[in-house]
Amino acid sequence: MKDIVWVIKRKKSSVDGLIVSNTTVSRENIGNNKLAEETGGLSGPPLKARSTEMIAQMYQLTDGKIPIIGVGGVASGYDAYEKIEAGASYIQIYTSLVYEGPALVDDIKAELSALITRLGHNNVADVVGTNSKFYLPNK
Ligand SMILES: Cc1cc2nc3c(=O)[nH]c(=O)nc-3n(C[C@H](O)[C@H](O)[C@H](O)COP(=O)(O)O)c2cc1C
């Protein structure tokens, strides 16, 4: 991750945004499942916590200056909020959209909006990175 940041800082103007993770080859967080022996990348819930940590680390390493697109296991407004407070400015969904369908987008937006208001913020921008330090090692 530090190598990527080094490149970004050298060529800062040419990087408009970052997606810090894709699927995972890790088999943590999926319990005792026969399917775990299959090869390939996992998406959705098994990826959620790890991708949030990576967003927080990247947010800190880039001093919050490069917009991060948060992706990995987002299936609710609460999940989106977690990614945003870790450092994401935008949210991408893939697996949850496949399972829930397009109506999920409005559901996520409504839940996220309600959460932002309930927690005393005005908008998404006010939340970006507010909890990024929580996810760092030796916090
Ligand atoms: C079937 C499938 C195909 C994917 N294809 C691509 C791809 O072509 N390029 C890419 O950058 N990411 C691809 N991804 C990764 C997703 O963009 C996303 O980073 C990942 O699935 C985690 O998000 P999610 O938990 O919302 O699915 C793919 C994921 C899945 C499940």
Side-chain angles (χ1 to χ4, degrees):
M1 199 177 272
K2 284 186 177 159
D3 292 348
I4 294 169
V5 173
W6 185 80
V7 172
I8 292 167
K9 286 189 171 167
R10 268 189 86 214
K11 302 190 172 189
K12 207 171 174 181
S13 60
S14 61
V15 177
D16 295 321
L18 290 166
I19 299 180
V20 300
S21 64
N22 200 284
T23 53
T24 179
V25 292
S26 164
R27 292 300 182 260
E28 285 175 33
N29 306 323
I30 58 171
N32 200 5
N33 190 328
K34 186 98 178 96
L35 294 172
E37 291 164 25
E38 294 195 6
T39 55
L42 289 178
S43 62
L47 176 64
K48 189 166 79 172
R50 181 67 187 123
S51 63
T52 305
E53 282 173 16
M54 291 176 70
I55 288 165
Q57 285 167 14
M58 186 56 93
Y59 181 84
Q60 289 287 326
L61 289 169
T62 55
D63 306 315
K65 288 183 179 155
I66 312 275
I68 296 171
I69 299 162
V71 61
V74 175
S76 68
Y78 183 79
D79 297 338
Y81 189 91
E82 270 190 342
K83 291 283 193 271
I84 293 165
E85 65 173 1
S89 293
Y90 304 92
I91 296 294
Q92 178 192 325
I93 57 173
Y94 191 121
T95 300
S96 60
L97 187 68
V98 172
Y99 283 102
E100 303 289 334
L104 180 65
V105 176
D106 279 346
D107 292 348
I108 289 176
K109 283 166 63 181
E111 190 179 22
L112 177 60
S113 178
L115 207 47
I116 285 171
T117 304
R118 200 182 327 139
L119 294 173
H121 301 291
N122 291 319
N123 49 45
V124 168
D126 284 353
V127 181
V128 175
T130 50
N131 205 24
S132 60
K133 288 189 178 152
F134 172 80
Y135 294 93
L136 300 182
N138 307 319
K139 55 184 176 279

